[in-house]
């Protein structure tokens, strides 16, 4: 595989265990300043908090893209959080860890809603208002669920909302296709 941003090559083999030092060494070899910790729910991984702290200690700009199921309370404050709030259309709304919204920082953190339909859109608006996310988060991202909603329709809802929200596409799905993972 090749890193999209810095054009470095890397290989990870399934089932192999890497220490935090191994991972940091591999990240350092990319010669990139920005690191995003993501993938399912990264904070559910036993060593994630230690890895994030070590990456911050090394001077990397660290983003944590979390599914919102696990508390962000123990995350290194130097890292930025991208918190996914699950809408009803995901079937995972009950898994949201609501106290995470209270920890968002307006200068660093972002909140994301993946929208499948108008019900999800109105749900996202309700959560934005209830938790005053326009004051609590650096950015509010609205993403269409792949193949579930017309982009033009969602863009119209976003632009007519009057809120400072931005539509975000999962570009990797448009570039490599929705079935390709690990890019």
């Amino acid at each position: 595989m090749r890193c999209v941003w810095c054009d470095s090559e890397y290989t990870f083999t399934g089932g192999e265990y890497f220490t935090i030092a191994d991972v940091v060494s591999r990240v350092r070899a990319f010669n990139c300043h920005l690191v995003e910790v993501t993938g399912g729910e990264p904070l559910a991984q036993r060593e994630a908090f230690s890895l994030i702290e070590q990456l911050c200690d090394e001077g990397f700009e660290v983003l944590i893209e979390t599914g919102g199921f696990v508390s962000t309370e123990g995350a290194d404050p130097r890292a930025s959080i991208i918190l996914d709030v699950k809408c009803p259309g995901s079937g995972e709304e009950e898994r949201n860890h609501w106290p995470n919204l209270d920890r968002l920082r307006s200068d660093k953190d972002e909140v994301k809603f993946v929208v499948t339909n108008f019900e999800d859109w109105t749900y996202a608006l309700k959560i934005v208002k209830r938790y005053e996310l326009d004051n609590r988060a650096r950015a509010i991202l609205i993403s269409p669920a792949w193949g579930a909603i017309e982009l033009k329709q969602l863009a119209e809802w976003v632009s007519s909302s009057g809120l400072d929200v931005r539509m975000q596409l999962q570009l990797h799905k448009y570039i490599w296709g929705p079935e390709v993972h690990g890019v």
Side-chain angles (χ1 to χ4, degrees):
M1 259 186 210
R2 194 166 282 285
C3 175
V4 177
W5 294 277
C6 61
D7 202 37
S8 299
E9 287 195 37
Y10 61 96
T11 305
F12 291 107
T13 56
E16 190 175 347
Y17 177 78
F18 296 97
T19 66
I20 289 174
D22 293 336
V23 173
V24 171
S25 176
R26 287 175 182 242
V27 169
R28 207 180 297 118
F30 287 133
N31 199 29
C32 294
H33 177 68
L34 180 66
V35 177
E36 183 167 358
V37 180
T38 188
E41 178 49 78
L43 299 181
Q45 304 302 313
R46 186 178 67 225
E47 301 291 333
F49 291 97
S50 297
L51 171 62
I52 292 162
E53 180 179 3
Q54 183 62 43
L55 290 167
C56 288
D57 287 347
E58 294 270 337
F60 290 101
E61 179 181 353
V62 179
L63 309 175
I64 305 167
E65 188 156 353
T66 171
F69 308 141
V70 176
S71 174
T72 59
E73 187 172 17
D76 192 298
R78 297 172 290 180
S80 296
I81 305 289
I82 304 167
L83 182 71
D84 190 358
V85 175
K86 300 299 184 191
C87 293
S90 71
E92 297 183 339
E93 174 192 3
E94 72 284 347
R95 295 184 69 195
N96 287 320
H97 185 72
W98 297 109
N100 284 338
L101 293 174
D102 295 328
R103 282 188 283 280
L104 291 171
R105 300 158 297 174
S106 63
D107 63 327
K108 292 184 82 100
D109 300 331
E110 300 179 357
V111 63
K112 177 178 74 172
F113 298 87
V114 177
V115 175
T116 63
N117 54 36
F118 187 71
E119 178 187 7
D120 282 353
W121 168 246
T122 58
Y123 175 86
L125 293 178
K126 180 178 82 173
I127 298 301
V128 167
K129 289 178 180 152
R130 177 184 297 157
Y131 288 91
E132 299 177 352
L133 297 179
D134 48 344
N135 296 320
R136 189 169 281 171
R138 186 173 67 83
I140 300 168
L141 310 171
I142 306 294
S143 295
W146 179 263
I149 191 168
E150 289 287 326
L151 297 181
K152 182 178 178 183
Q153 179 64 71
L154 183 57
E156 288 173 4
W157 294 338
V158 168
S159 64
S160 67
S161 72
L163 293 174
D164 187 15
V165 299
R166 125 181 141 221
M167 191 167 150
Q168 176 194 44
L169 302 178
Q170 296 174 306
L171 289 179
H172 63 283
K173 290 184 179 182
Y174 291 92
I175 297 168
W176 291 283
E179 61 285 330
V180 176
H181 299 280
V183 294

